Amino acid sequence: MGRRGRCPIRPLSGAAENQLSSITERLALVWERGGFPVAVIDAKYKALRPAAYPHADLYQMLAYCTVLGLGLGRLVYAAGEEQANRHAIRGTNTTIETWILDLSKPIPDLLADVEGLGVSIVATSSSQTASGASA
């Protein structure tokens, strides 16, 4: 993926940006295929969760997934308080994965972890249809 300089994931733009125009936060990445979003990823670099809103990131990602019509969203955190996990959101068909990147690793190891995340995104997104529903 990254070794050849080609990455199918790019910053939010086009149709996905229009769909999210009413959400004030800007998310990190949306991957579109044929003009339709097939993956959403939001990167977080923070050490603490606010005590009053411990699941704010999950709610934010749920909003992104809902607006984009996606059943899977990914939150990527720098190593710290968060743990890698899968959250099946009750009452929805949405799952949110949390991924952890250890930024203290040597660059080649960190890049390998990022590539692993990319491979996972491509693999799971290949089953998305143009409408965003799983095939």
Side-chain angles (χ1 to χ4, degrees):
M1 183 170 122
R3 289 191 176 97
R4 285 175 273 226
R6 296 181 207 187
C7 180
I9 300 170
R10 59 182 167 36
L12 180 65
S13 65
E17 187 170 33
N18 292 336
Q19 288 175 298
L20 291 173
S21 62
S22 64
I23 298 176
T24 58
E25 295 272 339
R26 184 149 176 110
L27 63 143
L29 300 167
V30 170
W31 176 19
E32 293 179 343
R33 184 183 293 140
F36 294 94
V38 295
V40 58
I41 306 99
D42 198 7
K44 304 291 186 182
Y45 186 79
K46 54 185 173 183
L48 300 173
R49 291 192 261 171
Y53 304 101
H55 304 296
D57 295 344
L58 293 173
Y59 293 132
Q60 182 181 24
M61 182 54 69
L62 177 59
Y64 294 153
C65 289
T66 300
V67 169
L68 294 170
L70 297 174
L72 177 62
R74 291 174 183 84
L75 291 167
V76 181
Y77 291 94
E81 289 184 20
E82 294 296 329
Q83 296 181 11
N85 207 340
R86 285 181 64 90
H87 306 271
I89 308 301
R90 189 176 358 164
T92 73
N93 291 324
T94 303
T95 299
I96 299 171
E97 292 181 349
T98 54
W99 286 69
I100 307 303
L101 292 177
D102 183 351
L103 303 180
S104 68
K105 284 185 171 183
I107 296 296
D109 295 339
L110 180 58
L111 290 175
D113 290 348
V114 170
E115 185 165 358
L117 173 59
V119 167
S120 173
I121 291 166
V122 170
T124 56
S125 298
S126 65
S127 64
Q128 297 289 317
T129 64
S131 68
S134 292

